[in-house]
Amino acid sequence: MSEFLITELRILRTSRGLSQEDFGKAIKYSGSHVSSVETGQRPPTEEYLEAVDRVFETGGLFSRLLVRINTLEVVHVWLRPWIEVERDAIVLKSYEPLVIPGLLQTEAYARSLLSTGTLPAGQLDPQVRARIDRQQVLGQDNPPLLFAVIDETVLRRAVGGAAVMREQLDHLLMASERPNVNIHIVPASTGAYVGLNGAFVIATLPDSRELAYLDHQLEGLVSERPNDILPVREAWEKVRGVALPVQQSIELIREVAKTWT
């Protein structure tokens, strides 16, 4: 993926008929710096790519590519295909009985969750950053329509402590103000229901294909087989059926947020 970014930078430069020296002058870097980036000896930094985007008016293309590459290089191999699906989806239907959905987590909440796992030394910060970077999909051009159904117990589980939870629930309230985000809460009074069997996400792509993502302790499963999609779609309809409408859900989140003091 890094080679792809370097190749695109080189294509941009040559398409403008610029030498490495001239390209460097335009973005206020030396020609030798440009050369070292294009040969892979020096990684392109955020500042470097921001300068390229600004000077050549690419609309932030190279900065977005860096985020995408960094995310894919850090996350588990089995998760990479789903991240691509998230970026291409027009609709995401997410259900979570245990934690706040990743696309709606704060950095502190994500850090608290990930620190309880078995990440190798030095991997916590990159993993947290990758999770937060994935959330850019909700603010991209033509973002997916996200329907998130969350069990009420998630709002009351002390992940990271009271301050972290208050920030997280306030973040949910702010996210719900986005026109493409709809949050529904399954009240604790519901008792047993099909969603307690596990978390899942259904993605609808522009060509109307549906893919499902199922999470568990070892790794996530991505499938578009009809025999897999059908029961997940049925489960979605059932959890939506027991969840509160959006406005009542927001009121419940606001009430629970007040308890985290």
Side-chain angles (χ1 to χ4, degrees), residues 202 210-212 223-234:
I202 302 173
E210 285 188 325
L211 292 89
S223 177
E224 60 178 319
R225 297 187 305 174
N227 288 344
D228 293 335
I229 298 295
L230 182 59
V232 178
R233 190 187 300 131
E234 291 177 350

Side-chain angles (χ1 to χ4, degrees), residues 153-173:
T153 57
V154 174
L155 309 181
R156 302 185 184 278
R157 181 170 292 114
V159 174
V164 171
M165 288 304 300
R166 180 58 189 258
E167 179 191 36
Q168 176 61 74
L169 297 196
D170 286 344
H171 181 72
L172 280 185
L173 293 172

Side-chain angles (χ1 to χ4, degrees), residues 2 6 23 119 186:
S2 297
I6 292 170
F23 189 83
L119 290 175
V186 177

Side-chain angles (χ1 to χ4, degrees), residues 143-185:
L145 183 59
L146 172 64
F147 294 92
V149 176
I150 307 169
D151 193 282
E152 181 183 347
T153 57
V154 174
L155 309 181
R156 302 185 184 278
R157 181 170 292 114
V159 174
V164 171
M165 288 304 300
R166 180 58 189 258
E167 179 191 36
Q168 176 61 74
L169 297 196
D170 286 344
H171 181 72
L172 280 185
L173 293 172
M174 288 188 290
S176 69
E177 296 176 359
R178 289 176 176 263
N180 60 312
V181 175
N182 298 271
I183 300 175
H184 299 266
I185 304 299

Side-chain angles (χ1 to χ4, degrees), residues 155-156 162 166 169 252-261:
L155 309 181
R156 302 185 184 278
R166 180 58 189 258
L169 297 196
L252 178 55
I253 295 171
R254 189 172 290 115
E255 289 176 8
V256 177
K258 294 176 182 177
T259 69
W260 291 110
T261 57

Side-chain angles (χ1 to χ4, degrees), residues 35-211:
S35 175
S36 64
V37 168
E38 291 190 357
T39 56
Q41 297 175 340
R42 184 189 306 229
T45 63
E46 291 182 23
E47 293 77 15
Y48 184 93
L49 296 176
E50 286 172 0
V52 172
D53 285 331
R54 181 176 62 255
V55 171
F56 295 98
E57 300 180 345
T58 63
L61 171 63
F62 288 98
S63 295
R64 292 195 300 273
L65 282 175
L66 181 63
V67 169
R68 190 167 189 171
I69 289 169
N70 287 343
T71 299
L72 290 176
E73 289 182 345
V74 167
V75 301
H76 297 294
V77 173
W78 49 262
L79 184 58
R80 294 174 186 175
W82 182 254
I83 291 177
E84 296 298 320
V85 170
E86 280 182 341
R87 292 183 181 277
D88 294 336
I90 58 174
V91 179
L92 292 169
K93 301 172 182 175
S94 171
Y95 168 70
E96 270 289 355
L98 299 176
V99 298
I100 300 295
L103 292 180
L104 297 173
Q105 291 177 9
T106 63
E107 182 173 338
Y109 186 94
R111 183 175 298 278
S112 296
L113 283 178
L114 292 170
S115 64
T116 64
T118 56
L119 290 175
Q123 280 296 302
L124 179 58
D125 286 344
Q127 289 288 346
V128 171
R129 188 72 259 156
R131 179 165 297 186
I132 299 305
D133 285 343
R134 284 173 60 191
Q135 298 176 6
Q136 292 188 15
V137 69
L138 296 178
Q140 68 185 12
D141 293 337
N142 300 314
L145 183 59
L146 172 64
F147 294 92
V149 176
I150 307 169
D151 193 282
E152 181 183 347
T153 57
V154 174
L155 309 181
R156 302 185 184 278
R157 181 170 292 114
V159 174
V164 171
M165 288 304 300
R166 180 58 189 258
E167 179 191 36
Q168 176 61 74
L169 297 196
D170 286 344
H171 181 72
L172 280 185
L173 293 172
M174 288 188 290
S176 69
E177 296 176 359
R178 289 176 176 263
N180 60 312
V181 175
N182 298 271
I183 300 175
H184 299 266
I185 304 299
V186 177
S189 59
T190 300
Y193 65 105
V194 69
L196 297 180
N197 290 323
F200 60 84
V201 186
I202 302 173
T204 303
L205 299 181
D207 60 6
S208 298
R209 283 188 301 137
E210 285 188 325
L211 292 89

